Amino acid sequence: MNPAEMIRAKYLAAHNLSEHSLAQMSADARQQIEDEIRKQVEEQAKHQGNSANDALSSLSL
């Protein structure tokens, strides 16, 4: 599991969500969550000195 996938998994677990429950949400609600996860990936990439684009490219949404 790459760092972006780990951030995604931790976010979903912290919010009592699964990939399945996320897929069942309305498009707007799902997009809000995806945006928040993306922000966390970008922040983590900044702290690690990695390019946010590199981290995001490994994230499958």
Side-chain angles (χ1 to χ4, degrees), residues 25-44:
M25 292 181 173
S26 70
D28 289 338
R30 186 172 55 248
Q31 188 60 52
Q32 287 179 339
I33 291 170
E34 298 289 3
D35 290 345
E36 182 59 34
I37 293 170
R38 183 174 288 108
K39 287 177 190 175
Q40 288 186 15
V41 170
E42 290 171 349
E43 283 299 313
Q44 184 69 24

Side-chain angles (χ1 to χ4, degrees):
M1 187 178 288
N2 66 47
E5 291 170 335
M6 290 188 69
I7 291 169
R8 181 181 183 84
K10 287 179 183 180
Y11 180 94
L12 293 177
H15 292 87
N16 296 318
L17 295 170
S18 66
E19 290 292 345
H20 179 74
S21 63
L22 186 63
Q24 299 299 313
M25 292 181 173
S26 70
D28 289 338
R30 186 172 55 248
Q31 188 60 52
Q32 287 179 339
I33 291 170
E34 298 289 3
D35 290 345
E36 182 59 34
I37 293 170
R38 183 174 288 108
K39 287 177 190 175
Q40 288 186 15
V41 170
E42 290 171 349
E43 283 299 313
Q44 184 69 24
K46 286 179 191 175
H47 287 99
Q48 290 182 345
N50 296 329
S51 162
N53 288 334
D54 290 344
L56 287 172
S57 69
S58 64
L59 181 62
S60 57
L61 300 175

